[in-house]
Every structure is written in structure tokens, then in C-alpha cells.
Amino acid sequence: MKMLRQWCLSIEKSEDVSMELLVEVEGLVEASIDAMSTKIDLSLSRPNRIYRPSEPLEGKIVVKSASSISHYGIRMALNGSVNLQVRGGSAGVIESFYGVVKPITILSRTLEIRPSGKIVSGTTEIPFSITLRNPKEDNSERFYETFHGTNISIQYLATVDVMRGYLHKSLSATVEFIVETDLLNPPISPEMVIFYITQDTQRHPILPELKSGGFRITGRISTQCSMLEPLSGELTVEASVLPICSIDIHLLRVESVLLGEKIITETSLIQTTQIADGDVCRNMTLPIYVVLPRLLTCPTVLAGPFSIEFKVAIVIIFQSELSRLHPKSDPLTPRLWMAMETLPLELVRARPYASWTVES
């Protein structure tokens, strides 16, 4: 800042500089000093930044400035979109040239928070409250929940702009807020599916000793689950010719994107929850309890241009020489020393049935 002022003084002393250029240079210096001494922040009313479409987005615009500044209006823009892309590994050569699909607009609104005026020096807090759904529309617009996946990202952003005049850069701040859809009514009860894993249910090659000696794991697990509740179930190892090394529950996402006339689908791992480490007692019931990560999951979506679905995989790893040689193998790739069962999982935004029955 000091060097800028010295440079401006040296230009003033020069006889070869026109008055118009001198005024423009001084304006640029003042604008640079202004930008460096003024900060703007966007603070939402809720620390978790979670809002529903029927609720207003509330918060305050905080401007910190060493001197008073003039502006031509303060505007707030709300934008929500579904961003789709196809990575080269999940598409062919031709599709990879068109890997980025046009975003789908969910929300696009701009409102004036304050008309033109002045912001005094110091710290200024400007409150705001904006409804996400446009009350003038028929409320038929679809709000998808916030989701950050591999090929699909659903994001909502709030941006504030303090419009400045010529030679002054506008002040701007952006924050992401999280949208959760309204709860379904009536609540749902978890749908439990009984499963069993044996040498005969495996679709991939397994170790000869497993094929001949056999194993049997049974249990039950939710295939329709409220996002407010953990994924639950139970598992029992009834018999196994080989000792068990680990039992894991894989939560998978299945993202599908419509690209031209072709649907590109990719399955990826969200998280792994280990429910047993080492060999377990036979005929002992093990609980399954998996907490769903918020931003990496959302209610199951089946839309035209895209879909977001989920699966749960129960993976049994047996102790063998091969498993010790490959301790960090890809969990999604079936191996000789592994047995697995994959089931579809529907996630919904609904109140748990148990809590609803207690309240009623």
C-alpha cells in the first residue's frame, strides 16, 4: 500500500503525464486500497447450514471496512444445480469427448437486499431472509437434496454482491448451503431382507478349500432405510471351513448419467464399516450398525437425465496365504479368498417408524 502511494506521488511530479491519466491512476490506487481494506462475509443462521425448501434461508452479510464505501446496491443470488460428468474410465472413447453434460438448473433467484447507498466504516451487519421456493410459482419445481458424488454433484450456493462504481471492484462472498427435502408422511418402517452367503451363491471363483469344505453365513439387513436412522441388521456365521479374517459392510453408490442415447453407470465405494476383525464364534449373532454419511448420501433419485441409487455389500474375507499377500486389494473386486452378497438399498427422507409410533 505504501509503495502504491509513493508510485502515485512520483507520477504527479512527472511533467510528461496528462491530467486525465493522473486522475485514472489515482482512482486505481484508491480502488486497490479499498479492496485490500474491505472484507465481506456471508454468515448463515444455522451452523449446520441445512435448510428445507419450505423454509427461509436466513443469515447476515458482514462487511468490515476501514472507511465508508459507496455502493450501487447489494444483491443476493441463490443458485442450485445438478452437475453431471462422465469420466473416461466409465465411458467409451466417443463418450469421453462429451464427458461434461449440461447442468440441470434447480434454483436461480436474484434479489436486492439493499438499494444504492453507503456502508459506514467499521463492522456492518445486514440481515436477510429469502424463501427458497418462489411463492409466485406453482411450487411444482423439484428440489433434489445436496449430494457430492463421483459423476453427479447437487449443490446449492448463496452469493452476495456489493456493486461498486467504475474503477471499483465489486465485493463478493459465496457460501454453500445444504438442502434436505421435507419428511415423508406417513413414516416408513425399515424393510428387512433375509440373506445367506454360501459357496454356491458366489458368482466369482473362490479358493478350492472353500469350494469343497463350504461355509454358511446368514442374517438380515435393511434394504429400505430412513436417512435419519442408521442402516441396521444382524449376521451369524453358522459354519466355515477356513477361519475368518474380517467381515465388512460396504456402502456403495450407483450413479447413472444419460449421455446422448446411452446411459453411463458407475458404481463406487462410499465407506466401509468393519463389524468383525478376526475369526468369530460360530452361531453368535453380530449386530450391523452403519451410520450414513450426510453429504455422500441422499434419498434415492430416479430422474430422467440421471439417477442416484445405493447398494450394500456384505463381504467376508477368509484367512489364507493369498489374503495375507494382498492386504490392500480393491474391496469392490471379488477375490479368491472373499465371499460377498450385494443388495439394493433404497434411502428415503422420512421419520423413523418407531419414533412416530411413540409420539402418536
Side-chain angles (χ1 to χ4, degrees):
M1 191 183 297
K2 187 178 180 180
M3 292 179 64
L4 282 172
R5 292 189 183 277
Q6 289 176 349
W7 179 62
C8 188
L9 289 173
S10 65
I11 292 178
E12 287 181 358
K13 294 178 182 178
S14 175
E15 298 178 357
D16 300 328
V17 179
S18 65
M19 183 60 66
E20 290 82 2
L21 179 60
L22 181 60
V23 170
E24 187 170 349
V25 169
E26 287 180 344
L28 286 171
V29 172
E30 289 178 6
S32 300
I33 295 171
D34 250 5
M36 288 187 288
S37 61
T38 305
K39 294 181 180 180
I40 184 171
D41 187 30
L42 193 55
S43 176
L44 299 181
S45 60
R46 300 177 181 175
N48 60 9
R49 298 178 287 126
I50 297 176
Y51 295 85
R52 291 198 171 98
S54 57
E55 298 175 338
L57 182 74
E58 297 177 329
K60 56 188 177 182
I61 303 162
V62 182
V63 181
K64 295 180 180 180
S65 178
S67 58
S68 62
I69 57 173
S70 301
H71 64 85
Y72 290 91
I74 300 176
R75 296 174 185 172
M76 174 81 74
L78 302 181
N79 294 290
S81 62
V82 182
N83 301 304
L84 308 173
Q85 66 175 8
V86 177
R87 299 186 302 170
S90 58
V93 176
I94 297 177
E95 287 85 356
S96 63
F97 287 105
Y98 305 94
V100 179
V101 186
K102 184 179 179 181
I104 301 171
T105 301
I106 304 173
L107 173 67
S108 181
R109 297 183 63 191
T110 302
L111 295 95
E112 186 177 66
I113 304 299
R114 275 195 181 181
S116 58
K118 264 192 174 183
I119 297 177
V120 298
S121 60
T123 301
T124 303
E125 295 185 352
I126 305 169
F128 64 87
S129 178
I130 305 173
T131 55
L132 296 181
R133 286 193 186 275
N134 193 338
K136 296 182 180 179
E137 295 184 2
D138 59 2
N139 287 336
S140 61
E141 55 189 344
R142 175 70 184 272
F143 275 80
Y144 300 107
E145 286 205 6
T146 299
F147 173 76
H148 295 287
T150 304
N151 293 332
I152 301 173
S153 177
I154 304 174
Q155 191 174 40
Y156 296 86
L157 298 174
T159 302
V160 60
D161 288 300
V162 179
M163 313 302 293
R164 307 293 307 280
Y166 178 64
L167 297 178
H168 292 273
K169 185 179 178 181
S170 297
L171 303 175
S172 180
T174 300
V175 65
E176 179 183 9
F177 61 96
I178 299 168
V179 168
E180 289 185 355
T181 53
D182 296 319
L183 296 175
L184 294 178
N185 192 21
I188 64 159
S189 58
E191 290 187 3
M192 307 294 286
V193 168
I194 296 174
F195 65 87
Y196 64 95
I197 306 172
T198 69
Q199 67 277 10
D200 298 324
T201 63
Q202 302 307 297
R203 298 179 181 179
H204 66 280
I206 57 176
L207 294 171
E209 50 265 48
L210 287 175
K211 191 71 176 176
S212 59
F215 56 90
R216 182 178 177 85
I217 295 98
T218 61
R220 58 185 190 134
I221 194 169
S222 303
T223 55
Q224 185 185 57
C225 181
S226 168
M227 296 198 62
L228 302 180
E229 287 286 288
L231 176 66
S232 59
E234 58 186 31
L235 177 146
T236 303
V237 179
E238 296 182 1
S240 177
V241 67
L242 289 180
I244 290 173
C245 177
S246 175
I247 301 178
D248 301 318
I249 306 297
H250 295 326
L251 184 61
L252 311 173
R253 59 183 162 227
V254 183
E255 300 169 275
S256 299
V257 177
L258 181 63
L259 193 60
E261 297 181 354
K262 188 176 181 181
I263 297 177
I264 308 299
T265 300
E266 183 174 356
T267 301
S268 56
L269 178 67
I270 298 178
Q271 73 175 24
T272 298
T273 303
Q274 187 181 56
I275 64 170
D277 183 15
D279 202 11
V280 298
C281 296
R282 305 301 183 253
N283 297 313
M284 184 179 75
T285 301
L286 301 176
I288 297 174
Y289 190 94
V290 178
V291 178
L292 302 174
R294 173 57 197 91
L295 294 180
L296 303 180
T297 57
C298 69
T300 301
V301 178
L302 299 174
F306 71 98
S307 66
I308 305 171
E309 300 172 273
F310 300 91
K311 291 182 178 181
V312 57
I314 303 104
V315 179
I316 316 295
I317 301 176
F318 297 94
Q319 295 182 21
S320 68
E321 289 296 329
L322 286 175
S323 64
R324 281 190 282 269
L325 291 174
H326 303 85
K328 295 183 179 180
S329 59
D330 182 8
L332 297 182
T333 304
R335 303 290 182 178
L336 293 172
W337 56 89
M338 290 170 50
M340 58 196 311
E341 179 71 21
T342 303
L343 301 168
L345 174 64
E346 181 184 4
L347 299 181
V348 295
R349 176 71 59 185
R351 188 180 303 173
Y353 184 76
S355 64
W356 178 75
T357 52
V358 170
E359 290 178 8
S360 60

